């Protein structure tokens, strides 16, 4: 079995993001970049039952290099993120409750909070709807993610977050969920106030620096 350290990290984060209520059942998926391509969670295996042996190693073309189980149906989304962003080493597809509401409503989430602009990016855009597992959904994620965000909503589906480490991708998912919930609360107060343009420009620069750093 290759990539034991990366496999252990994938298993740890997969169990953690379910514990944090970022998904439920077997929904969602987790991957880690490795020399051969990626290590990714299998399809239809409960996170509490997943072991390192269950994980699948794929190259960046989507061919299975190692593993007997079926890779997650959303592996094309993961591969699209790694192909687009060379600095990304971890990708998480989750179904957090509030963030998924934004995805279902197909509403982007703006960067209206200081820490959001630093760690998540300019905004969380919505990738066009496409069937799970399709090439179209992967193409949409690439376009919506771009170079200025670490998160994207999958229309009528869920959330994808990326990071230079899996820990950072997990933190981004938590940041998005918290910001999405706070955004809804602000609607009772007239909506969030806009950050000054100079502040937004500064955070954009900070984001571009931090997106390449291995900080949790």
């Amino acid at each position: 079995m290759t990539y034991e350290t990366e496999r252990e990290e994938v298993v740890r984060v997969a169990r953690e993001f379910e514990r944090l209520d970022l998904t439920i059942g077997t929904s969602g998926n987790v991957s880690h970049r490795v020399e051969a391509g990626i290590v990714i969670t299998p399809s239809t295996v409960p996170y509490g039952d997943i072991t390192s042996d269950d994980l699948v190693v794929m190259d960046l073309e989507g061919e299975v290099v190692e593993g007997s189980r079926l890779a997650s149906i959303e592996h094309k989304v993961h591969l699209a993120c790694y192909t687009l962003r060379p600095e990304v080493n971890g990708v998480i597809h989750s179904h957090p409750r509030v963030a998924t509401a934004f995805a279902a409503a197909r509403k982007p989430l703006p960067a209206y909070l200081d820490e959001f602009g630093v760690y998540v990016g300019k905004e969380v855009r919505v990738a066009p709807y496409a069937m799970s597992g399709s090439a179209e959904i992967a193409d949409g994620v690439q376009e919506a993610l771009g170079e200025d965000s670490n998160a994207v909503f999958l229309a009528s589906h869920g959330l994808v977050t990326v990071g230079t480490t899996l820990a950072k991708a997990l933190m981004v998912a938590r940041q998005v969920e918290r910001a999405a919930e706070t955004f809804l609360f602000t609607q009772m107060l007239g909506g969030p106030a806009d950050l000054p343009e100079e502040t937004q420009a500064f955070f954009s620069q900070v984001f571009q620096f931090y997106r390449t750093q291995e900080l949790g």
Side-chain angles (χ1 to χ4, degrees):
M1 185 176 67
T2 58
Y3 308 117
E4 291 187 20
T5 300
E6 292 85 354
R7 286 172 183 267
E8 291 172 1
E9 180 68 355
V10 169
V11 171
R12 183 191 71 80
V13 170
R15 291 175 178 171
E16 180 73 358
F17 93 133
E18 183 183 37
R19 185 188 70 79
L20 292 169
D21 202 26
L22 295 175
T23 196
I24 189 169
T26 62
S27 298
N29 21 79
V30 178
S31 70
H32 196 305
R33 189 194 291 270
V34 294
E35 185 178 1
I38 68 170
V39 174
I40 190 168
T41 49
S43 180
T44 69
V45 179
Y47 292 109
D49 297 337
I50 287 179
T51 68
S52 294
D53 290 333
D54 294 318
L55 303 182
V56 180
V57 180
M58 310 183 82
D59 64 24
L60 293 181
E61 301 300 318
E63 296 297 322
V64 174
V65 174
E66 186 176 348
S68 59
R69 290 193 177 275
L70 186 66
S72 169
I73 191 174
E74 296 295 5
H75 66 268
K76 292 185 180 70
V77 165
H78 290 251
L79 295 172
C81 293
Y82 291 116
T83 302
L84 175 69
R85 300 270 289 274
E87 82 280 5
V88 166
N89 290 305
V91 176
I92 296 175
H93 165 42
S94 58
H95 295 163
R97 190 171 306 167
V98 184
T100 300
F102 276 75
R106 305 186 187 182
K107 298 292 186 181
L109 180 62
Y112 68 99
L113 298 170
D114 287 358
E115 67 273 17
F116 187 100
V118 171
Y119 296 108
V120 180
K122 184 176 180 179
E123 64 178 336
V124 184
R125 292 179 283 267
V126 185
Y129 178 77
M131 288 290 291
S132 294
S134 67
E136 289 77 15
I137 195 171
D139 291 343
V141 166
Q142 274 197 338
E143 184 175 351
L145 188 65
E147 302 287 340
D148 59 1
S149 181
N150 281 332
V152 59
F153 293 129
L154 304 180
S156 302
H157 190 157
L159 173 69
V160 174
T161 55
V162 304
T164 51
T165 66
L166 260 178
K168 192 169 181 180
L170 181 62
M171 182 198 69
V172 172
R174 297 183 72 188
Q175 287 265 5
V176 171
E177 177 67 354
R178 185 176 181 85
E181 183 178 33
T182 303
F183 186 91
L184 293 184
F185 281 126
T186 69
Q187 301 306 303
M188 295 185 290
L189 303 170
D194 292 331
L195 291 170
E197 289 186 8
E198 59 270 24
T199 300
Q200 295 182 47
F202 172 74
F203 285 143
S204 179
Q205 292 179 340
V206 175
F207 170 82
Q208 289 300 331
F209 171 76
Y210 275 128
R211 80 168 199 173
T212 64
Q213 306 302 306
E214 293 192 3
L215 304 175

